[in-house]
Amino acid sequence: MKKTSLDMQNKVHQQITEYKQVVASDSYRLHYHIMPPVGLLNDPNGLVYFRGKYHVFYQWNPFETSHGAKFWGHYTSDDLVHWEEAEIALAPDSWYDKNGCYSGSAVIHNEKMYVFYTGNVKDEDGNRSSYQCLAISEDGFTFEKKGPVIHVPDGFTAHYRDPKVFHHQNKWYMVLGAQTEQEKGVTVLYSSSDLERWQFHGPFAGSGLNGLGDFGYMWECPDLIEINGKNVLLVCPQGLLARGFAFQNIFQSGYFGGQVDFDSLSFKHGDFVELDRGFDFYAPQTMRDEKGRTILFGWMGNAEEADVIQPTVKHHWIHALTIPRELEWKNENLYQHPVEELQQLRLNEVYYPDVKFNDDAGISLSDIKGNVFELLVEVTYIQATDFSIEIGASLRISYNAKEKVFTFEREKLNQSKAFESRHCHLEQLNSIHVYKDASSIEIFINDGAVVFSSRVFDASNSEEITFKVNGHIQANVTKWDLKRVTC
Ligand code: FRU
């Protein structure tokens, strides 16, 4: 049993203190998103509601803005809006996690918080070993490491990680991301009655299973949830080739909806659907809160290869989490809704009912502008071939009603002034709900049926929002400024 050493805590404190001002002086710093105090943040981990507080842990390299030996950073909140930074939860200071306390999850059992994570270990030649580890906390803030509870079984490589534990009918289950020796990405399943001894049940879903063809060389961060009577496996397959508008990022994140048979431990599922169509989204995780909601946070980032040109690096931080989103299963689809608590952030409402745009080459509405805001456009009538909203000098969202294509464009991060785009097919446009922060945008289309999340770095300081229409469109337009709640 081992607690994080004071020495390690002091080193992290020193790092935060040293760079506090530099991070704070960054105009790209976010106002209401979880971001690292310093260094690199990636996956959300251990999402759990415990003793009146939401706990969000995250993959954290406090010492660099690159990936490395990860810690579990920790924030808590009473309301999913105001976050308080807590002491590091896990540090990579044991033989079984010395190169990183990798992603994992938390559950509450006997009034204690049990966290499961992957211990990542590399030898001098760079050979990897992985251990699924347990740490227990009585108060939700200090953890005692219990060490490995699962070793990699025969038939799998050391890419074996990201335990997500859940409870179903008096039993604990764990899904894990894995790679077979044949380099196929799969999710494996375990069960347990005491959270300490785990029984292996083999692959549960993956490349070449349940009627699925070749589907990537590694599956990361699985999460199996039940929502409105449906079982949904959220997972991040690596190695899918771009196809039309799909799979445009280096790594993908999406879900399979279906039905689990807990007697035979099998999963019949439909097709893979991408969770987010933007540039920066990966490794989401969900939690069930005390109100029975399923709440998702994602990492607003993607593969390491895309990191180097982000301007926040000069200010010693990189990446952030998405806003919390409540999941709903309807029309055979997963919908994502910004949690209602975020309405606390709203200030200065501006409302234009039934605005008529008729062949406008560029119109702005007074007081509909800003850099940190929420914007809701509810379409009441559309007979347009093209409808677009330009935000500042580096963002454009548009819908082509003839082609039935929704497009998101942002200025490339390499300061070249060139734009890059992501698209998706959309039969009909009903609403666009935008959450813009200083350097991010999350767009919820048609009540969250489709979402685009991206980081955006606009050096122009422009706060203009311009509507352009080719044809006719009528819409209710509402805009709020959003309060700053991060320090
Ligand atoms: C996903 C991931 C996980 C791993 C973690 C390491 O982004 O690669 O599979 O546990 O990040 O930080």
Side-chain angles (χ1 to χ4, degrees):
M1 288 210 272
K2 197 168 167 213
K3 290 192 178 172
T4 306
S5 72
L6 271 178
D7 189 39
M8 192 64 104
Q9 282 184 8
N10 286 338
K11 269 171 80 180
V12 173
H13 281 288
Q14 266 171 27
Q15 184 76 2
I16 297 174
T17 314
E18 186 173 344
Y19 290 108
K20 211 179 175 108
Q21 290 313 322
V22 188
V23 177
S25 68
D26 188 358
S27 60
Y28 291 134
R29 200 190 148 83
L30 296 159
H31 291 208
Y32 57 89
H33 283 85
I34 290 180
M35 56 172 272
V38 62
L40 176 142
L41 165 153
N42 57 303
D43 314 354
N45 292 157
L47 305 182
V48 74
Y49 188 79
F50 183 49
R51 297 197 190 153
K53 282 197 186 304
Y54 292 95
H55 291 255
V56 169
F57 302 87
Y58 62 92
Q59 286 288 283
W60 187 24
N61 183 358
F63 302 116
E64 284 158 324
T65 50
S66 54
H67 291 266
K70 299 290 167 58
F71 290 65
W72 273 37
H74 188 189
Y75 284 101
T76 63
S77 173
D78 296 334
D79 60 5
L80 292 167
V81 177
H82 301 86
W83 295 96
E84 214 174 304
E85 195 189 334
E87 207 61 68
I88 38 172
L90 299 171
D93 56 6
S94 308
W95 68 263
Y96 46 78
D97 60 20
K98 72 181 182 60
N99 298 97
C101 297
Y102 274 11
S103 285
S105 58
V107 290
I108 308 305
H109 177 53
N110 292 339
E111 302 282 299
K112 293 180 191 153
M113 192 190 291
Y114 282 61
V115 306
F116 294 87
Y117 68 99
T118 302
N120 182 49
V121 176
K122 284 199 173 157
D123 69 14
E124 296 103 70
D125 302 324
N127 299 313
R128 186 194 295 263
S129 325
S130 299
Y131 305 93
Q132 312 315 315
C133 305
L134 167 65
I136 300 178
S137 174
E138 307 249 346
D139 60 2
F141 290 92
T142 47
F143 289 83
E144 288 197 3
K145 288 185 181 175
K146 302 279 189 186
V149 290
I150 291 175
H151 295 258
V152 178
D154 287 347
F156 294 88
T157 74
H159 288 288
Y160 204 74
R161 55 177 170 263
D162 311 334
K164 178 73 169 42
V165 175
F166 62 96
H167 200 242
H168 180 81
Q169 289 178 350
N170 299 326
K171 233 185 176 160
W172 295 102
Y173 291 90
M174 178 196 287
V175 279
L176 260 182
Q179 179 181 62
T180 65
E181 272 174 351
Q182 291 74 39
E183 299 194 359
K184 303 278 177 230
V186 298
T187 291
V188 295
L189 186 72
Y190 285 81
S191 67
S192 171
S193 48
D194 60 5
L195 290 172
E196 293 188 26
R197 283 161 305 155
W198 289 91
Q199 195 188 343
F200 179 57
H201 300 289
F204 174 74
S207 239
L209 295 165
N210 312 335
L212 190 68
D214 225 349
F215 214 73
Y217 59 80
M218 168 66 190
W219 281 20
E220 292 187 321
C221 300
D223 189 355
L224 184 60
I225 60 174
E226 195 195 314
I227 184 162
N228 311 115
K230 195 84 178 178
N231 297 116
V232 180
L233 176 69
L234 290 79
V235 72
C236 296
Q238 299 182 320
L240 304 184
L241 296 178
R243 194 195 300 153
F245 294 158
F247 310 153
Q248 292 293 318
N249 291 336
I250 300 178
F251 298 146
Q252 316 311 323
S253 173
Y255 63 90
F256 297 95
Q259 225 57 56
V260 175
D261 178 340
F262 278 93
D263 294 325
S264 62
L265 294 178
S266 58
F267 182 37
K268 272 208 185 88
H269 60 72
D271 291 338
F272 182 75
V273 181
E274 282 180 89
L275 259 172
D276 197 289
R277 311 303 299 247
F279 289 92
D280 302 293
F281 185 89
Y282 196 64
Q285 192 180 96
T286 68
M287 72 169 125
R288 188 59 84 75
D289 79 350
E290 89 296 358
K291 296 179 183 147
R293 297 179 296 180
T294 303
I295 296 170
L296 173 144
F297 283 85
W299 169 33
M300 264 203 289
N302 200 268
E304 201 171 343
E305 290 81 339
D307 280 357
V308 280
I309 37 186
Q310 295 211 10
T312 62
V313 165
K314 286 196 257 79
H315 289 263
H316 293 273
W317 72 280
I318 186 165
H319 302 314
L321 299 186
T322 64
I323 53 171
R325 305 167 179 184
E326 183 180 348
L327 298 184
E328 185 188 8
W329 180 266
K330 65 177 184 197
N331 309 327
E332 291 302 298
N333 249 298
L334 211 47
Y335 281 66
Q336 301 177 58
H337 311 290
V339 295
E340 62 181 8
E341 286 89 335
L342 290 167
Q343 293 175 13
Q344 293 173 53
L345 294 171
R346 292 174 175 173
L347 295 170
N348 311 327
E349 177 175 314
V350 186
Y351 177 53
Y352 287 91
D354 247 336
V355 190
K356 294 180 182 61
F357 301 99
N358 293 316
D359 285 323
D360 284 310
I363 181 171
S364 45
L365 300 169
S366 96
D367 289 331
I368 304 268
K369 60 177 186 299
N371 182 32
V372 180
F373 61 84
E374 182 185 344
L375 175 73
L376 179 62
V377 178
E378 296 161 299
V379 177
T380 50
Y381 174 78
I382 185 163
Q383 203 207 19
T385 44
D386 248 316
F387 170 56
S388 70
I389 309 174
E390 288 182 9
I391 300 171
S394 48
L395 277 180
R396 202 174 110 102
I397 52 195
S398 55
Y399 180 62
N400 185 319
K402 213 160 139 202
E403 309 279 334
K404 300 192 184 302
V405 173
F406 190 95
T407 298
F408 168 75
E409 290 163 276
R410 73 167 178 192
E411 196 176 309
K412 283 190 174 173
L413 305 193
N414 62 8
Q415 317 281 303
S416 66
K417 299 277 171 218
F419 276 66
E420 53 189 348
S421 56
R422 290 282 187 268
H423 311 269
C424 79
H425 177 84
L426 192 72
E427 259 319 289
Q428 193 183 321
L429 179 67
N430 303 323
S431 63
I432 303 175
H433 191 177
V434 172
Y435 272 81
K436 173 74 177 57
D437 203 339
S439 58
S440 72
I441 185 163
E442 287 154 277
I443 308 164
F444 299 83
I445 302 156
N446 293 354
D447 194 28
V450 183
V451 186
F452 285 70
S453 306
S454 289
R455 298 301 301 282
V456 55
F457 304 100
D458 187 345
S460 77
N461 290 322
S462 163
E463 301 214 326
E464 292 307 310
I465 298 177
T466 312
F467 299 85
K468 289 186 181 165
V469 183
N470 196 342
H472 308 284
I473 185 165
Q474 234 164 282
N476 302 325
V477 180
T478 322
K479 186 230 141 193
W480 297 265
D481 293 323
L482 295 177
K483 253 186 246 170
R484 181 173 203 144
V485 286
T486 56
C487 34

